Amino acid sequence: MSTKRPIRKEEKILVEFLLSKIDQADHTYTIPEEVEEYGAPGMGSINLNNPNTDQYDSDLIQAEYTDADKIPVVISLTKDQNNQLLDLDFWKSDFSKLVAYPDPKDLMFE
């Protein structure tokens, strides 16, 4: 992973929006002020300041959107085995960089 950096406004807004879509009756998740990017810059995936990357438990929620270049993107908000936020993961079907960061209003849910 790369160096820690402050969470960007659009990242925080997206995480807050995704959390608002799940049932948090049993647990309230804390959004960190610092994150680390995964992979090459511009890919979108970040670690939510959680060193337990080997303790992935499950996806809290998945959403999809179509990037500005018309390529589908799947977004997963994950948690670890200690029920803490782990990653905000982006998977673009052609593995290219994000052209436009998603606006919550553009997300689709199954």
Side-chain angles (χ1 to χ4, degrees), residues 56-76:
Y56 166 84
D57 182 60
S58 63
D59 291 354
L60 289 168
I61 189 169
Q62 278 194 348
E64 297 179 17
Y65 83 104
T66 302
D67 202 352
D69 59 1
K70 309 291 187 222
I71 304 296
V73 180
V74 176
I75 303 168
S76 301

Side-chain angles (χ1 to χ4, degrees), residues 20-78:
S20 76
K21 297 290 185 187
I22 64 171
D23 178 15
Q24 294 189 63
D26 297 334
H27 187 77
T28 301
Y29 295 95
T30 302
I31 301 171
E33 292 301 317
E34 289 188 323
V35 299
E36 291 181 77
E37 290 184 29
Y38 283 118
M43 301 302 280
S45 296
I46 56 174
N47 173 271
L48 296 165
N49 201 23
N50 186 330
N52 301 320
T53 57
D54 61 338
Q55 294 185 14
Y56 166 84
D57 182 60
S58 63
D59 291 354
L60 289 168
I61 189 169
Q62 278 194 348
E64 297 179 17
Y65 83 104
T66 302
D67 202 352
D69 59 1
K70 309 291 187 222
I71 304 296
V73 180
V74 176
I75 303 168
S76 301
L77 183 63
T78 68

